[in-house]
């Protein structure tokens, strides 16, 4: 949808300023950075920092992560980092599931590489001593110019997300995402239907618009923790928690009702084989017009808005996550983060890389490639809105505003987050497949997760 065009419900998008204000970050005046055609222009921007960028020249930093919008956006810029600092960067990017499975094994062996890595299971990493504490690096004037770095430009959620309970930071956020509803507007128009707002409306709409060629809705439902993002959004929006008082809480009445609705949606209007769906299956179905609606990460917008990949560029509608009547939506949100290996031999060079990669000028450049960064200045840029889609950006900010950072961190930062999420999604998968009713499946799943927590 074009900027300012009304949604099928007849309401135009609210102003960007209202969304960013709601996130607790005022937009700066849009004094955009210079175009990036000349290397000297780029170097001049970084030269404004009171940082000796060459202090670790000759060192090499290994960067590991998932194949992801961030890795895709940062990779073309790595040569500029090397030219600026003299630090070489060796990359190791893999499919997300493969990467997330292999990294903990590598870190548990005490390997000194990778030096810098994308990470999600913070509680496990902190408890095991894998992650380097970062507060001292931020306060080191030989490494950091906080005035130039300007943390006030970070989204409120990005400022709060990396903080551990003792106030220490073990990670640096690199992306911003919240679970979003994606809709093929043509499918709604064919039935003269509005954008669904409640879960009951979502169920009715999904059943009304499904056809033999197009499912009504697609979501991740694979029996593994990596598929938990949409289902957690249902739990939160129904008033439930994943973890509360150090116990798995998804056997609560609220969570059971949420998973029951999740299962009804996919069993009645989902695609064949949805029990094996991961995020890339969901995205592909939406891009190829194989599903009329999808619920997943707001980062899907980059591909949806790309004519080279998407058949629904003009039809795509981006909307707020659904809610139950009388309760506001609480979508799952997250910031992918990067960490420094506590056993790295190049920690200070690695921190300089983190500072560069998440700085205003670098964020402006990655945003131009459609990356949803952590900075309000990048979100407000015309290049980002063009690549990501202006209406998609509004929807993503709405969902970030509605999200509950503490509820998301309670599960993501738990030392046993991975087995808890695995148990949860095994239960959800059973509900989707019809193997067990929600109450039985989620009670069993919570019992398994709590057994792991107790040790």
């Amino acid at each position: 949808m074009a900027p300012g065009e009304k949604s099928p419900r007849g309401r135009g998008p609210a102003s960007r300023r209202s969304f960013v204000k709601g996130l607790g970050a005022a937009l700066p005046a849009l004094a955009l950075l210079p175009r990036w055609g000349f290397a000297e222009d780029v170097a001049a921007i970084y030269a404004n920092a009171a940082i000796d960028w060459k202090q670790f020249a000759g060192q090499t930093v290994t960067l590991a992560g998932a194949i992801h919008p961030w890795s895709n956006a940062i990779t073309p810029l790595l040569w500029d980092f090397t030219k600026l600092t003299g630090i070489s960067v060796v990359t190791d990017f893999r499919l997300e599931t493969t990467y997330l499975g292999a990294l903990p094994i590598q870190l548990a062996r005490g390997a000194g590489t990778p030096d810098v890595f994308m990470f999600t299971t913070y509680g496990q990493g902190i408890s095991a001593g894998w992650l380097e504490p970062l507060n001292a690096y931020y306060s080191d004037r030989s490494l950091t110019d906080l005035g130039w770095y300007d943390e006030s430009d970070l989204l409120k959620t990005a400022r709060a997300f990396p903080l551990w309970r003792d106030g220490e930071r073990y990670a640096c956020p690199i992306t911003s995402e919240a679970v979003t509803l994606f809709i093929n507007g043509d499918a709604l128009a064919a039935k003269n239907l509005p954008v669904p707002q409640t879960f009951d409306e979502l169920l009715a709409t999904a059943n009304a618009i499904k056809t033999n060629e197009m499912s009504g809705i697609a979501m991740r439902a694979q029996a593994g923790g990596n598929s938990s993002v949409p289902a957690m959004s249902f739990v939160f929006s129904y008033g439930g928690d994943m973890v509360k008082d150090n116990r798995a809480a998804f056997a609560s009445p609220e969570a059971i009702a949420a998973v029951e609705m999740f299962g009804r949606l996919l069993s009645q209007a989902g695609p064949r084989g949805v029990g094996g769906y991961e995020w890339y299956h969901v995205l592909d179905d939406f891009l190829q017009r194989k599903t009329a609606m999808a619920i997943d990460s707001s980062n899907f917008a980059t591909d949806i808005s790309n004519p080279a990949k998407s058949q629904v560029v003009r039809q795509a509608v981006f909307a707020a996550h659904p809610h139950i009547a009388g309760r506001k939506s609480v979508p799952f949100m997250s910031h992918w983060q990067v960490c420094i290996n506590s056993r790295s031999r190049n920690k200070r060079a690695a921190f300089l890389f983190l500072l560069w990669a998440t700085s205003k000028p670098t964020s402006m450049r990655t945003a131009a490639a459609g990356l949803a960064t952590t900075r309000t200045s990048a979100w407000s840029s015309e290049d980002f809105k063009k690549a990501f889609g202006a209406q998609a950006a509004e929807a993503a900010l709405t969902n970030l505003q509605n999200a509950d950072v503490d509820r998301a961190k309670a599960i993501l930062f738990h030392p046993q987050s991975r087995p808890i999420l695995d148990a949860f999604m095994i239960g959800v998968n059973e509900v989707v497949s019809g193997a067990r009713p929600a109450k039985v499946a989620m009670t069993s799943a919570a019992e398994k997760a709590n057994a792991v927590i107790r040790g």
Side-chain angles (χ1 to χ4, degrees):
M1 297 180 69
E5 188 175 351
K6 292 187 177 181
S7 71
R9 192 173 284 275
R11 291 195 296 264
S15 71
R16 147 173 289 289
R17 184 173 296 277
S18 67
F19 287 115
V20 177
K21 184 177 180 181
L23 286 165
L27 283 175
L30 297 185
L32 295 182
L33 295 171
R35 291 292 175 180
W36 303 105
F38 302 95
E40 54 267 28
D41 288 341
V42 177
I45 297 295
Y46 297 99
N48 290 331
I51 297 171
D52 176 6
W53 292 105
K54 295 289 189 182
Q55 59 187 300
F56 306 115
Q59 294 189 20
T60 297
V61 169
T62 302
L63 169 64
I67 297 172
H68 179 274
W70 182 77
S71 55
N72 293 340
I74 203 70
T75 297
L77 308 183
L78 294 178
W79 169 244
D80 286 339
F81 173 74
T82 298
K83 187 172 182 180
L84 176 71
T85 64
I87 300 169
S88 300
V89 181
V90 176
T91 60
D92 179 13
F93 296 126
R94 311 180 197 180
L95 288 174
E96 185 171 317
T97 303
T98 303
Y99 170 71
L100 292 176
L103 182 65
I105 297 171
Q106 189 173 359
L107 295 175
R109 290 174 177 165
T113 58
D115 300 287
V116 179
F117 48 87
M118 296 170 66
F119 202 61
T120 57
T121 52
Y122 312 111
Q124 179 189 25
I126 294 167
S127 299
W130 299 339
L131 311 185
E132 179 74 1
L134 300 181
N135 279 1
Y137 294 85
Y138 278 102
S139 61
D140 186 339
R141 292 187 177 181
S142 68
L143 278 175
T144 308
D145 180 349
L146 288 176
W148 176 83
Y149 187 69
D150 189 10
E151 289 185 291
S152 67
D153 182 51
L154 295 171
L155 297 173
K156 182 179 179 181
T157 53
R159 295 199 298 270
F161 199 73
L163 294 177
W164 193 237
R165 50 181 168 258
D166 61 358
E168 182 62 78
R169 285 179 284 190
Y170 294 85
C172 186
I174 53 175
T175 64
S176 304
E177 55 190 302
V179 174
T180 295
L181 172 61
F182 308 98
I183 304 169
N184 183 321
D186 284 355
L188 286 187
K191 296 286 185 177
N192 195 29
L193 291 170
V195 171
Q197 295 190 356
T198 68
F199 287 107
D200 287 336
E201 291 172 358
L202 184 69
L203 178 62
T205 302
N207 278 308
I209 61 181
K210 67 180 181 181
T211 67
N212 291 334
E213 294 76 30
M214 180 185 287
S215 66
I217 189 167
M219 295 182 287
R220 309 185 209 184
Q222 196 175 89
N226 199 50
S227 293
S228 60
V229 166
M232 285 195 290
S233 290
F234 277 56
V235 170
F236 293 165
S237 292
Y238 268 75
D241 294 271
M242 290 295 293
V243 174
K244 192 171 185 178
D245 300 326
N246 199 35
R247 288 183 57 81
F250 38 80
S252 68
E254 295 84 1
I256 290 169
V259 173
E260 183 176 25
M261 174 57 79
F262 190 89
R264 289 174 67 192
L265 277 159
L266 291 181
S267 62
Q268 293 180 20
R272 292 180 182 178
V274 71
Y277 266 44
E278 242 293 358
W279 67 265
Y280 39 86
H281 301 109
V282 177
L283 177 59
D284 185 65
D285 275 12
F286 191 76
L287 295 178
Q288 303 302 320
R289 301 184 185 180
K290 295 179 181 178
T291 188
M293 297 189 294
I295 292 179
D296 212 292
S297 168
S298 52
N299 282 342
F300 279 17
T302 304
D303 286 331
I304 293 170
S305 299
N306 184 348
K309 297 181 178 181
S310 174
Q311 297 181 21
V312 292
V313 172
R314 296 185 181 277
Q315 300 97 322
V317 176
F318 304 87
H321 188 269
H323 61 89
I324 63 173
R327 186 187 292 272
K328 76 164 191 164
S329 169
V330 185
F332 176 82
M333 61 72 58
S334 181
H335 294 282
W336 261 104
Q337 301 197 99
V338 286
C339 306
I340 295 176
N341 188 343
S342 62
R343 294 181 177 270
S344 167
R345 296 181 179 180
N346 306 299
K347 294 176 186 176
R348 289 169 65 81
F351 183 79
L352 202 64
F353 172 80
L354 295 192
L355 205 72
W356 169 84
T358 60
S359 66
K360 273 184 171 182
T362 305
S363 295
M364 191 71 78
R365 300 176 73 193
T366 54
L371 183 72
T373 74
T374 60
R375 290 190 172 270
T376 60
S377 53
W379 276 80
S380 66
S381 71
E382 291 302 317
D383 285 342
F384 171 68
K385 287 187 282 187
K386 180 178 178 181
F388 195 78
Q391 200 246 350
E394 299 290 0
L397 285 171
T398 297
N399 289 313
L400 278 167
Q401 182 183 27
N402 289 338
D404 185 330
V405 176
D406 291 334
R407 227 183 300 193
K409 286 172 65 173
I411 175 61
L412 291 178
F413 282 44
H414 195 282
Q416 299 294 336
S417 62
R418 178 54 58 180
I420 294 170
L421 289 172
D422 285 343
F424 171 69
M425 279 310 297
I426 289 170
V428 171
N429 182 269
E430 290 174 336
V431 177
V432 170
S433 67
R436 283 176 152 183
K439 185 173 182 179
V440 175
M442 300 320 296
T443 299
S444 174
E447 288 173 352
K448 292 176 183 176
N450 283 320
V452 172
I453 293 172
R454 290 192 299 269

